[in-house]
Amino acid sequence: MKTRNIIFSAVASLLALSVVSCSNKLDIPQHGVLDYNTYYKTDEQALEADAALYLEILNGGGLGWDYWVRLCKAMLTDDFWAGGSMRGDNNDLDQLNEFRFDAEQDYIQNMFTSYYSLIYKANVILGHIEEEGASDIAKMVRAEAKVFRAYAYFDLKTMWGNPPLVDHELNPSEYNVPNGTDEELWGLMEKDLTEAIASGYLSEKSNADDSSVWRVTKQFAQALLGKVYLWQGKYDEAAKQFDLVVESQKYRLMDDYANIFRIGYKHNCESIFEINRVYDDNAQPFSMYALMTGWRMDKMNWPVDTPMMNTGWGFRVPTKNLYDEFVAHEGVNGYRLNNAIKTYDQLQSELGITLKSPIIGEGQFMWKLRILAEDRGTNSDFVYSANCIWMRYAEVLLCGAEAHFMNNNTTKATEYVNNIRTRAHLPTLGTVTLDDIKREKRLELFGEGTRFQDLLRWGEGAKMANNGKIYPLLQVNGHVDYVDPANPTYGFKAGKHEHLPYPATEIRLNSAIKQNSGY
């Protein structure tokens, strides 16, 4: 945070110097330097500032939020092994997965920085695009900036606890920002989202099948506000927000669970918020995330006609614990299970793929977020133009079910859960328990970046207590060997891992931040 403000302070100093001259002949415009007194005054300039918000999520940290944020969140659960060619292939991911990280951890640093980069860009918009007399375009941009700022603060609050609250561009005297309070942080999120929703300037789909709307929508803001209320235990307010999304009838569950995340189904009827990757032969979209999470094909014998992308690094490997919960809940032939995870036996029988050397894992392979050969670009293994969906309608239903259940409305909670179960080809329930809702959320949304924050909120971090005690090696013949890595410490520790550490670089730059306990 401080570094960015130092940079912009330097820019401001240059601007001040540029207006001082001895003669008009020496008053030479500085190329590449923006004067905030004259910029952000047109609709075109407002849209340029707005585009920076979307680009931050697409390319934040240089590799994108799906790489830093989604991969980091996946590691901090009981749903995945770090994976790779062997343990130690990516020590940062091993640290996260085994809860051996500290304040110097690279993924945590980049995730934290990316959130504040998004907040900074939102603050620039809200500080320089004036509300009074603004055009409709400018009002839309301001509303979207408030949603994005709340979106960043929601993750910061739920994973770090009490991060610094920065609601405007900082002056040099303000660089040392202390930890925010619960009241301040939740209050800003509620205010931002309430104002954005009430503005009337957020986009909306015309109906559930309208795939033309790619901007932040009113319903995304309502769903996010519902989550802000849910995490605070304001169940009545949360339920009302989720109901508004449902009652809008602008979204519905896709009938075909298997293809929700495929390239051919961008902005589908279930997608509440996703970030565009546009394929162009001359500007092919880069995705380190796709390469990292594709199957470890260099350790596989694969037919020439395999549908899978033939290059991948094999990180984010589903655990047998997750697979077993699927089987216990819907059977080995379950529709949702078989469109979410493939076993090693299925790789051999359905795809003709076998191992030629051992890999990390227990015989389960990600299918839900699969990387297919037909979807990759032509010039590089890094090219992949599938959009990253950050919220979908299924999450709205499941959060709504929890809010209603906690608000003693089991009828509505059961209705929402049964919508999910029907699409999963499961029998409906007469009534639901909180455990039913938690289980459905784990199975339905695994790999989508929700479980770590859910487990923290539910006080169930102990589910990761043994992360790092052992790791599995899947052998060529399908046998799994469990190896002791001899970690002196491992797993989720109560009193520490309820919060992530503030990055050491931020602590060094901002002496007012109080580090979280245990780091």
Side-chain angles (χ1 to χ4, degrees):
M1 288 183 296
K2 184 172 180 180
T3 302
R4 286 190 290 275
N5 283 288
I6 290 173
I7 291 170
F8 279 91
S9 292
V11 172
S13 297
L14 289 171
L15 286 169
L17 289 172
S18 71
V19 300
V20 179
S21 65
C22 296
S23 90
N24 290 337
K25 293 182 180 180
L26 297 179
D27 193 5
I28 303 172
Q30 289 183 300
H31 297 288
V33 178
L34 302 180
D35 184 346
Y36 284 168
N37 294 317
T38 60
Y39 204 70
Y40 301 132
K41 302 302 181 184
T42 69
D43 285 349
E44 182 181 6
Q45 292 165 349
L47 289 172
E48 287 177 3
D50 193 43
L53 297 170
Y54 293 90
L55 287 171
E56 176 61 40
I57 298 179
L58 180 64
N59 298 319
L63 297 175
W65 275 31
D66 50 3
Y67 179 81
W68 296 115
V69 174
R70 181 144 294 176
L71 202 51
C72 183
K73 287 184 179 184
M75 294 300 97
L76 295 166
T77 71
D78 51 347
D79 286 349
F80 297 100
W81 300 100
S85 64
M86 63 188 75
R87 186 171 177 275
D89 186 8
N90 186 309
N91 192 49
D92 285 326
L93 293 182
D94 286 337
Q95 289 173 357
L96 291 167
N97 194 227
E98 299 172 4
F99 285 84
R100 296 185 292 107
F101 52 83
D102 58 22
E104 302 283 356
Q105 219 283 336
D106 193 41
Y107 276 80
I108 292 174
Q109 165 71 61
N110 276 281
M111 186 162 58
F112 188 87
T113 300
S114 293
Y115 288 130
Y116 274 104
S117 182
L118 185 65
I119 290 166
Y120 172 77
K121 290 169 182 176
N123 286 341
V124 167
I125 288 172
L126 295 171
H128 293 283
I129 299 177
E130 297 181 1
E131 186 171 16
E132 186 175 352
S135 68
D136 288 351
I137 292 292
K139 289 177 180 178
M140 178 196 72
V141 169
R142 283 183 56 85
E144 290 190 5
K146 291 178 181 180
V147 176
F148 277 113
R149 185 166 68 178
Y151 182 49
Y153 269 121
F154 177 80
D155 272 8
L156 286 165
K157 179 74 182 75
T158 55
M159 291 193 287
W160 277 270
N162 292 94
L165 187 147
V166 182
D167 61 359
H168 62 281
E169 293 174 86
L170 299 179
N171 297 316
S173 63
E174 301 176 291
Y175 286 160
N176 287 328
V177 183
N179 302 73
T181 66
D182 290 347
E183 182 179 6
E184 290 170 337
L185 291 159
W186 290 124
L188 179 64
M189 286 180 257
E190 290 183 15
K191 182 176 183 292
D192 274 350
L193 292 168
T194 300
E195 289 179 353
I197 293 165
S199 73
Y201 286 95
L202 291 175
S203 300
E204 292 190 71
K205 295 170 60 173
S206 58
N207 56 63
D209 294 315
D210 179 3
S211 61
S212 66
V213 178
W214 56 269
R215 290 189 171 279
V216 162
T217 64
K218 175 182 176 180
Q219 285 70 36
F220 172 60
Q222 289 170 329
L224 185 55
L225 181 57
K227 291 178 69 170
V228 167
Y229 287 139
L230 180 62
W231 257 251
Q232 294 179 81
K234 297 180 178 180
Y235 300 120
D236 183 56
E237 294 95 325
K240 288 176 181 176
Q241 293 302 317
F242 296 124
D243 287 349
L244 286 171
V245 179
V246 174
E247 292 163 3
S248 75
Q249 298 186 26
K250 297 181 185 296
Y251 301 88
R252 69 169 184 273
L253 296 175
M254 275 184 62
D255 293 334
D256 186 5
Y257 179 84
N259 288 314
I260 293 171
F261 299 94
R262 295 288 310 285
I263 284 178
Y265 297 84
K266 293 182 179 183
H267 301 290
N268 59 60
C269 61
E270 188 165 347
S271 176
I272 300 286
F273 176 56
E274 64 185 74
I275 290 294
N276 275 337
R277 279 194 176 94
V278 180
Y279 183 85
D280 185 314
D281 283 335
N282 298 315
Q284 297 191 21
F286 171 90
S287 178
M288 175 64 90
Y289 175 77
L291 191 57
M292 287 286 286
T293 58
W295 296 355
R296 190 80 199 193
M297 297 299 275
D298 66 325
K299 294 202 167 193
M300 295 177 171
N301 299 302
W302 47 276
V304 174
D305 60 350
T306 178
M308 303 304 296
M309 185 172 81
N310 60 17
T311 303
W313 292 346
F315 294 98
R316 193 198 56 189
V317 178
T319 62
K320 189 173 185 294
N321 176 280
L322 171 64
Y323 178 79
D324 288 345
E325 183 146 4
F326 263 112
V327 172
H329 187 53
E330 55 189 67
V332 69
N333 295 316
Y335 166 77
R336 183 171 52 183
L337 167 59
N338 280 273
N339 283 296
I341 294 174
K342 294 291 185 186
T343 65
Y344 183 42
D345 287 342
Q346 288 174 312
L347 259 63
Q348 297 174 79
S349 62
E350 297 177 13
L351 301 172
I353 295 175
T354 60
L355 294 181
K356 57 185 178 182
S357 58
I359 60 173
I360 300 289
E362 298 168 284
Q364 288 74 41
F365 296 81
M366 173 68 82
W367 186 251
K368 170 184 177 180
L369 303 175
R370 60 196 176 278
I371 314 296
L372 298 184
E374 67 185 68
D375 295 336
R376 61 180 284 191
T378 57
N379 295 341
S380 169
D381 295 327
F382 290 80
V383 172
Y384 185 64
S385 60
N387 290 354
C388 188
I389 299 178
W390 291 97
M391 182 186 288
R392 60 187 177 95
Y393 187 58
E395 183 182 355
V396 172
L397 290 173
L398 290 165
C399 286
E402 183 179 351
H404 278 295
F405 181 87
M406 298 303 292
N407 202 35
N408 298 314
N409 186 348
T410 54
T411 299
K412 181 63 76 172
T414 302
E415 175 190 334
Y416 284 176
V417 169
N418 280 336
N419 285 341
I420 300 290
R421 291 178 62 84
T422 297
R423 199 263 298 277
H425 298 189
L426 295 172
T428 58
L429 301 174
T431 189
V432 294
T433 65
L434 185 57
D435 283 342
D436 291 329
I437 296 169
K438 291 178 179 180
R439 183 185 306 110
E440 286 296 337
K441 199 169 189 188
R442 181 188 190 188
L443 301 183
E444 177 69 26
L445 300 177
F446 89 93
E448 297 181 48
T450 63
R451 184 158 176 80
F452 177 56
Q453 286 145 291
D454 280 336
L455 290 175
L456 294 181
R457 176 166 56 93
W458 295 330
E460 297 181 3
K463 291 182 183 293
M464 287 90 74
N466 288 323
N467 281 33
K469 183 177 182 180
I470 56 173
Y471 70 92
L473 276 178
L474 176 65
Q475 303 296 325
V476 172
N477 63 4
H479 178 76
V480 180
D481 292 328
Y482 290 93
V483 182
D484 181 358
N487 283 328
T489 62
Y490 60 83
F492 184 99
K493 299 290 188 298
K496 176 179 181 180
H497 292 123
E498 289 84 357
H499 297 124
L500 297 177
Y502 295 108
T505 53
E506 298 293 333
I507 296 290
R508 288 191 285 268
L509 288 169
N510 181 359
S511 60
I513 298 180
K514 181 181 179 181
Q515 182 61 278
N516 283 323
S517 177
Y519 297 103

